[in-house]
Amino acid sequence: MMKELVQFAQTVVKAVAKISPFAISLSDNHGYIIGSTQLDRIGTMHFPSREVIEKNTSVIFDKTKIEKMENVLEGIAFPLQFDHKTVGVLGVIGPPEQVKPYGLLVKNYVEMLWQQTFRQQIADMEVKTKETFAQYILLNEVVEKHRVEHYCKMLGITYGKMNFCIVIDIGNSLLTSAKKHISIDHLKENLVRCTKEAYGGPDEMICTFLNTEKMVVIRQVNSKEEYRSILQCFHDQSTELINLLQIYSINNPLIAAGSLSSSIEEVNQSYQEAERLIRFTKESDMHLNIFTNYNWNIILEQFPLQIPDSFHEKVTFRIKPFLEYDRFNEMAELFITYCENNMNISKTAKALFLHRNTLIYRLNKIEEMTSLNTSNFQDCMILYTVLKKTKHAPSLSRMP
């Protein structure tokens, strides 16, 4: 406690000096002056401070009393209380009759300032602990059980529950937004508060920054049904978060929820899945900000990428003439658009700004090169899935 008092003393002295007409000093519980408006007194022994601590009450030092005292100035000394303990002495220097009306006000101000600073230090320590814990369990595939249990106990988290991870990717918005508004630490605090407000989780939900570009939420659930219920609300809650973040000029964040992990030691898997969803969507043509595997559009986009490589190789071998066609990319996009318009000639022609006959001619050309029937759903499904997987080939090794 004394270490914190020493670090705090000069900050308090500077703050009080702005509002008090009198010089002040702060002594520790051993009587050493650790803060003073008169810098030459810092580090010197102030024996009367011991009397104040022993009596635990204010003591007046007038001219008569201090005549034979060393390093003692006229004024009033007040015991400083913290957490119901006397931890130091505040000296307000000046004629006692003039000091008395201000003395208690200055004492109360110093104690209040100290309490606020101490609470802020505790809050900062908790924020740092959460960041460290999140980095440990999310960025390491293997973690030590006893270490995880220690963190859970320290942060008031129930150990043994199922968990899942939400990732909020804000890019470099934190740095650019901080320049326009407030300090980075204050901005991070506000963004975390917005995230908690949007998702409305329990107190033991961990919400913290993983780095300057990502916030994470580690959420505990009691059952798969509770997880399903949360995912049903996830889009609306994430939309609310996006609106809140815009207040701080955080635009177009990408938000993803991972799968359910059976324990907090395995929540890294949920985090990795959320990251893959964000990465996949960045590389695809989907214009979305919110992703979960509860969303059919996300599942449908990923579906072609789930087919085995062996099956993909068999089909690409069979349609080699089409793959080697000099207008392959154009024709592949045409066919994918045709499938995504439910194999409807009119809708596809309109979407591609083509004449019906031109579209039909090109579909017939695809049939020539592949020997597949573009009017047959099963044939189209085979070619569609293979073309989609071919299109997203760079992502294949990173998909689950």
Side-chain angles (χ1 to χ4, degrees), residues 60-101:
I60 296 174
F61 295 92
D62 55 23
K63 288 183 178 180
T64 303
K65 188 170 184 176
I66 66 173
E67 280 182 356
K68 297 182 180 181
M69 289 183 172
E70 185 179 348
N71 193 31
V72 182
L73 301 176
E74 188 180 18
I76 303 177
F78 299 88
L80 289 173
Q81 302 287 324
F82 183 82
D83 198 20
H84 307 294
K85 296 178 182 177
T86 301
V87 294
V89 175
L90 165 70
V92 184
I93 301 165
E97 64 277 6
Q98 295 179 26
V99 166
K100 192 172 183 179

Side-chain angles (χ1 to χ4, degrees), residues 362-377:
R362 292 182 182 177
L363 289 173
N364 288 338
K365 184 68 176 177
I366 291 173
E367 289 185 357
E368 268 181 46
M369 292 183 284
T370 62
S371 300
L372 291 170
N373 182 356
T374 58
S375 298
N376 180 280
F377 170 76

